[in-house]
Amino acid sequence: MAKNSTLRPSPTALLNPRCDSSFKAMFAADTPESNAALKDFISTILNREVKEISLLPNEPVVEIITENQMSFDVNVKFDNNEKIALEMQARNREYDYSARAEIQVARLLSTNNMKGENWGTPPAYQVSVLNFSLDKSDKSALSWYTTKDERGNDLAGRLNVIFFDLVKIRKLLGTPLAKLSKLEKWSLFLSYADSEKYADYITELTESEGGIMNARSSLLTVSQDEINWARQNSIYIAQHDYNDGLYNAEKRGIAQGEHKAKIETARNAFAMHLTPEQIVQLTGLSITEVQQLQV
């Protein structure tokens, strides 16, 4: 019997946390390490201690019709019923990303509305970890937007949009750890966690922060799951096809384009020796459709 190949490049290879599915796998795994890492990351972003967190149900959905991939967010409820949505964005998109983030946080806030006379709705936060620079003129790595008047006064502080730019901190790679802030260490970890070239430096950096150590431990665990590698490879294929202009939703139609993308992903998954059941889980196709492709 032929031995099935593995999608993992080597027994020690790590998933790329800048890929949205791998980012979610690392932070949303049902393990103490993942939970501790998520709590530490949120605390670092908000610059205050977050004591309790719980993941909210979140099914990945297709939001952009020109891509054959799902959107993976990490939705969390934490202290005093505040809510935060974390997402990784690997590249800039052909739409107003700032507007999208505003709409997303408004939706999140509306789901947390509390009935009563005092409008005591807890704040909501939309945090986008960016693998690109949204505003190159802004030199800060962390940009925090709220609702303000013309004098700079906050309205109520309920809507919060935060952009965490990984690119602007990468120039600090190799800096002595004592000179780095915790936010900078998180950025360098997310940027180079899967790099063999900078493995020694990142290992030293990881060991200097308990929260990042938990993140690496979680990343090691989820990197052993073949489905996570299949999802990551599927996204890479989708990005390549998109860049080559192979999928044009305007010409094919939304439904047809999405279905063809799933079929292509399923065929690629068969070539990678995934089982029909795994492909159903990966693509959302029916078992009948998947079995027909196997013939």
Side-chain angles (χ1 to χ4, degrees):
M1 180 181 293
K3 184 178 180 181
N4 286 346
S5 62
T6 176
L7 302 178
R8 194 178 188 185
S10 73
T12 59
L14 296 178
L15 291 162
N16 177 0
R18 298 171 306 287
C19 175
D20 51 357
S21 67
S22 302
F23 179 86
K24 180 175 182 179
M26 178 179 69
F27 277 128
D30 186 19
T31 64
E33 292 80 12
S34 179
N35 186 272
L38 179 59
K39 188 187 300 184
D40 188 85
F41 184 67
I42 293 174
S43 297
T44 303
I45 291 291
L46 299 184
N47 195 29
R48 64 181 172 88
E49 183 182 3
V50 172
K51 296 181 179 180
E52 298 293 336
I53 64 171
S54 60
L55 288 168
L56 298 173
N58 176 31
E59 292 297 326
V61 296
V62 175
E63 290 189 343
I64 308 305
I65 62 175
T66 52
E67 294 184 335
N68 62 333
Q69 67 184 74
M70 296 179 288
S71 176
F72 295 88
D73 301 342
V74 181
N75 289 339
V76 181
K77 182 164 66 175
F78 58 105
D79 304 350
N80 300 319
N81 288 320
E82 295 179 65
K83 288 184 179 178
I84 186 168
L86 302 175
E87 60 178 321
M88 169 63 71
Q89 287 293 333
R91 68 188 192 283
N92 208 349
R93 311 296 183 101
E94 294 181 356
Y95 56 86
D96 189 341
Y97 188 78
S98 298
R100 175 189 181 279
E102 249 183 345
I103 293 169
Q104 292 287 80
V105 74
R107 288 175 177 170
L108 191 64
L109 185 68
S110 69
T111 65
N112 213 27
N113 185 39
M114 298 174 63
K115 295 181 180 179
E117 297 180 357
N118 295 326
W119 293 96
T121 305
Y125 306 84
Q126 171 72 22
V127 177
S128 298
V129 183
L130 306 178
N131 198 34
F132 62 90
S133 292
L134 184 65
D135 182 0
K136 294 182 180 179
S137 64
D138 183 1
K139 302 303 180 184
S140 59
L142 191 71
S143 301
W144 190 321
Y145 299 89
T146 59
T147 306
K148 297 179 181 293
D149 65 13
E150 67 278 3
R151 293 165 295 178
N153 298 317
D154 282 323
L155 186 59
R158 296 293 187 267
L159 290 167
N160 298 269
V161 175
I162 302 172
F163 298 126
F164 182 27
D165 186 333
L166 301 180
V167 176
K168 291 172 182 172
I169 298 181
R170 286 191 185 140
K171 62 184 178 181
L172 297 178
L173 181 66
T175 300
L177 300 183
K179 295 184 178 181
L180 294 175
S181 69
K182 194 172 186 179
L183 184 71
E184 291 168 342
K185 289 180 180 179
W186 264 112
S187 178
L188 291 174
F189 170 77
L190 292 171
S191 294
Y192 299 104
D194 57 322
S195 169
E196 294 184 0
K197 182 177 180 180
Y198 303 111
D200 290 343
Y201 179 78
I202 295 302
T203 296
E204 183 182 357
L205 181 151
T206 299
E207 292 174 349
S208 72
E209 295 288 347
I212 300 178
M213 284 184 68
N214 281 312
R216 179 175 171 80
S217 178
S218 179
L219 189 61
L220 281 166
T221 299
V222 298
S223 294
Q224 297 172 29
D225 190 333
E226 199 78 353
I227 285 293
N228 290 328
W229 285 99
R231 286 195 178 110
Q232 179 170 287
N233 289 354
S234 171
I235 289 173
Y236 287 164
I237 292 169
Q239 291 173 348
H240 178 76
D241 289 343
Y242 175 78
N243 291 335
D244 286 348
L246 298 180
Y247 296 100
N248 188 330
E250 292 182 357
K251 294 180 180 179
R252 289 178 169 85
I254 297 174
Q256 181 184 9
E258 290 178 358
H259 190 262
K260 284 187 176 181
K262 290 180 180 180
I263 294 294
E264 186 62 27
T265 297
R267 286 175 176 154
N268 288 326
F270 269 125
M272 298 170 185
H273 305 291
L274 266 68
T275 67
E277 290 75 17
Q278 288 176 319
I279 295 172
V280 168
Q281 183 182 353
L282 175 65
T283 64
L285 293 171
S286 69
I287 187 65
T288 301
E289 289 177 296
V290 171
Q291 288 173 340
Q292 287 174 347
L293 293 173
Q294 193 175 17
V295 177

